Amino acid sequence: MTTVATPRLSAYDVVVVGGGIGGLSTAACLAKAGRTVLVVEQGSGPGGYAHAFTRGPYTFDPAMSVFPQGHPGGLPVALLDWLGVADRCRFVPLESNYRAVFPGFELETPFGLEEFTEVHCARFPRHASRLREFFALCKTLHKQAHELPPRLGLRGLEDAVARFPLLFRYLKATTGEVLAEYFDDPLVRAAVSVSWPYLGSPPSRLDFVTFSTVLNVYLEGCFYPDGGFQSLADALVAGLEKAGGELVLGRTARRIRVERGRATGIELDDGLVVEAGTVVSNADATATFTELVGEEHLPAGFVKRLRRMTPSLSAVIVFAATTMDLRAAGAAHEVFRPLHVDHERTYADILAGRPGGMYATVPTLASPSLAPEGEHLLVVHSLAPYDIGRPWAAETEGYTDTVLKSFEDVFPGLRDSLTFLETATPRALERHSRNRAGAAYGWENTPGQTGGKRSPHVSPLPGLLLAGHWTQPGTGSLRALVSGMHTAQLAQREAGQPPIELDHPDFPPAA
Ligand SMILES: Cc1cc2nc3c(=O)[nH]c(=O)nc-3n(C[C@H](O)[C@H](O)[C@H](O)COP(=O)(O)OP(=O)(O)OC[C@H]3O[C@@H](n4cnc5c(N)ncnc54)[C@H](O)[C@@H]3O)c2cc1C
């Protein structure tokens, strides 16, 4: 990586604020398309939530654990290939899908929608026909959401409603509402929706179309980038630099400059002005509009809606290393550990500052080089609000203890086998990423804030576009990557430049 501390030029075709996966994917695409591109990243390395940290011999991802569609022929691999850097990031297929350990029962799930459905049917035979109908519905919604054109006029909307009646029937539904429609047994409802922490909201709040889409995409198979998610970020940087683009690290954009009603560049932390034909923000959406741009440059209605939107939950993350042979102990790459069968009780725990929405990930199963031989990394994600009404620092020790105790039941002897332990709170996530309140997933995935209702790529300020998990299509590293590609395509169109010619059936991606 040949990153510099100061931009080489005073003006670029495109300046990207933030070097998360979304910003890097936009930048690499635009550089490859021949534009002059600068990425400004406040952190010490690229990747945002993908930017790894090391402690002694251990390398940890700060947040992410699974990546869908890493197979040859998938859009992410096609992108890296097109950028000429496919050899920089090897996606390791995960051996199995998640294991879920509830109080009193557990479930091990395979990849493949059919296999996944049948595991549930075998565990809950009385509900088999409803289970098959439910998962078939999830598949249909996923397919229809994928086929829905990104922008619909009035006529287009009428056609779409006629073509996709099921999608429109469930467009405003929460996952909890649909679970109640299909299952009368709380155990079945809990088992079917145990992966909700991947999307940050309990079934009562979680958009059902988003749940269906993510479930289906994940069931096609999940991957882990060998060496950690940093290798995905580094591959995108390599693609950017190979095409002549620049990344500046450790520099903060403090303003997006507005002249004659248009974004014309940015101002860095030391006052240095960098001009740009287009500015792309990968940063927190609220900070982008209210701090970097300034409300006075935006329509009042837009700012009002922005202020009404809610960010997703943050997380407490327990980073551990252990000498326990976790493979022999039955670990899957992901192990969900609900302490209650009722996910809404878990959500109440989370809001009260207690562990909940927990899942452990063991990245060394897929990528052993992250720890010395004979050791595994075990990282537990637990959803958490930013503000629990008391200082997180005073809570961390007790919180960590409860998390470890919960996994001691799954891996007896875990605590005695630990060789490293550190806990990050929502404050640390906010510092690391500058996402408001340490939000893990951008806007909360409620029906009113997903799909076409998420902040659009094209902002109301001409010359300013968004990329990443605050904009469409939504949450997660894959969607941040896809979002960046879409933003690059839009930036080309807005500048009257030829379209990006990446030949793949999913590109340009649907918003
Ligand atoms: C605990 C946790 C677990 C997760 N697990 C998964 C998972 O397993 N799989 C998955 O796909 N997703 C997962 N996610 C979600 C995923 O990490 C995010 O949705 C995705 O990484 C967002 O990428 P992004 O590019 O939009 O933004 P970010 O990664 O947030 O990057 C934004 C970047 O902008 C920079 N920045 C902000 N403001 C400025 C400024 N003014 N000047 C310069 N730079 C600035 C930040 O430093 C940061 O690098 C998880 C998230 C968390 C927190």
Side-chain angles (χ1 to χ4, degrees), residues 100-107 120 123-124 186-192 194 336-338 340-341:
V101 182
F102 283 89
F105 82 102
E106 69 169 272
L107 205 64
H120 286 80
R123 178 66 185 73
F124 303 106
L187 232 53
V188 183
R189 290 204 287 264
V192 159
V194 69
F336 286 97
R337 181 75 180 107
H340 313 290
V341 165

Side-chain angles (χ1 to χ4, degrees), residues 18 21-22 41-42 48-49 63-66 253 282-283 433 435 440 468-469 476-477:
I21 295 295
E41 166 55 45
Q42 58 96 26
Y49 276 147
M64 289 177 237
S65 56
V66 286
N282 177 218
S433 68
N435 283 304
H469 64 175
S477 51

Side-chain angles (χ1 to χ4, degrees), residues 373-446:
E373 210 179 325
E375 292 188 56
H376 275 292
L377 302 185
L378 180 98
V379 180
V380 181
H381 299 168
S382 179
L383 294 173
Y386 184 73
D387 187 358
I388 50 171
R390 39 194 202 280
W392 268 111
E395 298 292 312
T396 310
E397 200 179 324
Y399 195 107
T400 306
D401 208 47
T402 309
V403 167
L404 290 176
K405 223 162 124 204
S406 312
F407 280 92
E408 183 75 27
D409 298 344
V410 184
F411 305 118
L414 177 68
R415 275 183 298 185
D416 289 341
S417 71
L418 294 184
T419 49
F420 176 83
L421 187 63
E422 186 173 317
T423 300
T425 68
R427 307 265 155 176
L429 266 70
E430 184 183 55
R431 262 197 319 275
H432 181 91
S433 68
R434 293 203 171 209
N435 283 304
R436 177 159 72 124
Y441 304 110
W443 299 119
E444 187 182 9
N445 284 308
T446 54

Side-chain angles (χ1 to χ4, degrees), residues 67-77 89-93 221-223 478:
F67 188 77
Q69 292 191 359
H71 58 278
L75 186 58
V77 176
C89 178
R90 188 174 73 87
F91 293 106
V92 181
C222 280
F223 298 79
L478 171 67

